[in-house]
Amino acid sequence: MAQSVVTRFDALTIERLTNLCKLTGKTKSYYIKEAVNEKLEDLELMYIAQSRLEDLKAGLSSTVSWEEVKKRNGLQD
C-alpha cells in the first residue's frame, strides 16, 4: 500500500519539475518517485561498498584477482 510523504522544494526545483512535466505529459509524482528510487539505489550501493571496504580493512574479508576469477570459472584465454 502506498504511503504519502510531504516535502518542500525550492522554487527553481518546482519550476524545473513543472517544465519537465509539461514537456513529457508525466506527473510531478512520477518524476519525484523515479528520482527518489534512483537515488536510494545509489545510496544503498554506496553503503554496501563502504561496508565491504571496512570489512576488508579490518581483515574480515579478502580480495580475489581478476586472473583468479577467470581461472576459477574456466575463463582462461
Side-chain angles (χ1 to χ4, degrees), residues 18-58:
T18 300
N19 289 338
L20 181 61
C21 293
K22 286 177 184 175
L23 289 171
T24 64
K26 296 191 187 283
T27 65
K28 289 177 186 174
S29 292
Y30 171 83
Y31 284 113
I32 291 169
K33 284 187 258 184
E34 287 291 308
V36 168
N37 285 331
E38 185 176 323
K39 186 62 177 181
L40 278 176
E41 186 174 322
D42 290 347
L43 291 170
E44 289 165 342
L45 291 173
M46 185 182 305
Y47 173 78
I48 291 169
Q50 288 173 338
S51 178
R52 297 298 181 264
L53 180 58
E54 289 171 11
D55 287 349
L56 186 62
K57 288 179 177 179

Side-chain angles (χ1 to χ4, degrees), residues 64-77:
V64 178
S65 72
W66 177 239
E67 293 303 317
E68 183 62 26
V69 170
K70 292 192 298 186
K71 182 179 176 184
R72 290 181 186 180
N73 293 284
L75 301 172
Q76 294 291 27
D77 295 329

